[in-house]
Amino acid sequence: MKGSKMKSEIADNLQKINASLEGSNARLIAVSKTKPIAALLEAYEAGQRAFGENKVQELVDKHEALPKDIEWHMIGHLQRNKVKYIAPFIHLIHGVDTEKLLIEINKQGEKNERIIPCLLQVHIAREETKFGFSPEEIHKWLDTQPLDHLPHVSIQGLMGMATHTKDEGQIATEFSDLAHLRNELKQRYQHERFSMTELSMGMSGDYPLAVANGSTMIRVGSTIFGVRHYPNQP
Ligand SMILES: *Cc1c(COP(=O)(O)O)cnc(C)c1O
């Protein structure tokens, strides 16, 4: 009975979140990191097809074990030497935070004869620890017409994480800043592989604010699958 109860909970949670997205431009990426295959399958059976993971090995293992019509999203910090493992099949890399990483993704895209879709991660939070470009860095970089030299990547938009705070005004400001930056960049640089249509923002704690500010992809984990347990933490 425990199994069947959990099953309906995951399906229920997905349904509630999807209902809350109706009328918006946002869709749900189910963040399944640390969760077992069985939990992902329950979500799959409930109709979920987009999953996000933040560790390359775990993503590769789950890709092998699960149905092939799943879209896999790499949402975590990606090391250059690991791009090759996901390059053949990854649907979208959310956290591109350096030009060097993009050059490696381009190289692996060429090897796999595909164009790999990416989002640029932008540092929007006031916290110091988060990865990402500053808006100024992206502006400067676009002056170099970078995609002319990167034929195997496309940049579909931006990704950001808001400050972890209870101050909803601050979170909303950070999300709307990211939305404005997306619009500004889209105007400024026209390239067939620079669509700037996507805004990956919003997690379990703040996705309603992200959706209200124009998110097109929310990355939600614990609200679907329950809290995560990490082996090295009590
Ligand atoms: C873990 C993670 C999420 C999902 O977090 P929840 O709070 O469980 O919804 C979203 N984005 C990134 C980048 C993550 O690492």
Side-chain angles (χ1 to χ4, degrees):
M1 282 316 288
K2 196 164 180 248
S4 66
K5 182 169 179 283
M6 280 177 57
K7 182 180 222 161
S8 67
E9 267 176 33
I10 288 176
D12 248 34
N13 295 339
L14 285 168
Q15 199 185 11
K16 280 183 197 145
I17 297 167
N18 280 319
S20 80
L21 299 181
E22 262 173 43
S24 80
N25 288 325
R27 67 190 197 99
L28 171 63
I29 314 301
V31 175
S32 47
K33 61 192 187 193
T34 79
K35 296 297 174 184
I37 296 290
L40 281 77
L41 263 181
E42 285 178 19
Y44 180 87
E45 278 159 15
Q48 183 65 28
R49 290 296 179 272
F51 290 85
E53 291 282 336
N54 70 341
K55 296 265 188 314
V56 166
Q57 187 63 55
E58 189 175 345
L59 197 161
V60 168
D61 290 347
K62 286 175 173 171
H63 169 256
E64 274 170 24
L66 284 159
K68 293 298 167 273
D69 61 340
I70 289 177
E71 287 179 8
W72 291 99
H73 294 247
M74 177 65 198
I75 62 166
H77 181 66
L78 178 58
Q79 286 171 296
R80 270 185 287 157
N81 60 359
K82 295 193 174 161
V83 175
K84 56 178 176 285
Y85 302 114
I86 60 171
F89 65 88
I90 197 75
H91 183 79
L92 182 63
I93 300 175
H94 289 233
V96 175
D97 58 357
T98 62
E99 184 178 19
K100 280 182 170 171
L101 175 58
L102 210 53
I103 289 169
E104 176 63 20
I105 295 169
N106 182 66
K107 187 174 137 193
Q108 297 301 331
E110 185 175 5
K111 277 192 185 160
N112 288 279
E113 297 177 354
R114 62 179 295 230
I115 293 171
I116 299 180
C118 299
L119 304 179
L120 301 178
Q121 184 169 356
V122 183
H123 182 104
I124 53 171
R126 299 218 190 124
E127 288 152 342
E128 278 304 314
T129 53
K130 302 263 163 80
F131 295 103
F133 291 100
S134 69
E136 296 72 34
E137 282 171 324
I138 299 181
H139 276 293
K140 266 197 197 150
W141 181 64
L142 290 183
D143 285 340
T144 68
Q145 305 289 316
L147 288 179
D148 292 349
H149 314 289
L150 299 166
H152 291 274
V153 300
S154 71
I155 296 181
Q156 304 201 331
L158 303 177
M159 180 266 211
M161 288 202 266
T163 305
H164 191 73
T165 173
K166 289 203 169 71
D167 183 346
E168 297 203 338
Q170 184 183 340
I171 296 170
T173 302
E174 291 173 0
F175 286 149
S176 80
D177 285 352
L178 190 67
H180 281 120
L181 178 65
R182 192 268 310 257
N183 296 342
E184 206 174 273
L185 297 175
K186 190 183 162 93
Q187 293 261 313
R188 164 188 178 133
Y189 183 48
Q190 263 102 44
H191 193 287
E192 58 179 354
R193 282 175 286 102
F194 191 80
S195 69
M196 276 289 138
T197 47
E198 304 291 345
L199 264 183
S200 168
M201 58 188 200
M203 308 175 28
S204 288
D206 57 20
Y207 74 83
L209 283 173
V211 172
N213 284 283
S215 174
T216 67
M217 290 181 181
I218 59 170
R219 309 176 310 271
V220 175
S222 39
T223 298
I224 302 169
F225 296 108
V227 294
R228 286 178 293 273
H229 301 285
Y230 292 95
N232 297 324
Q233 284 170 13

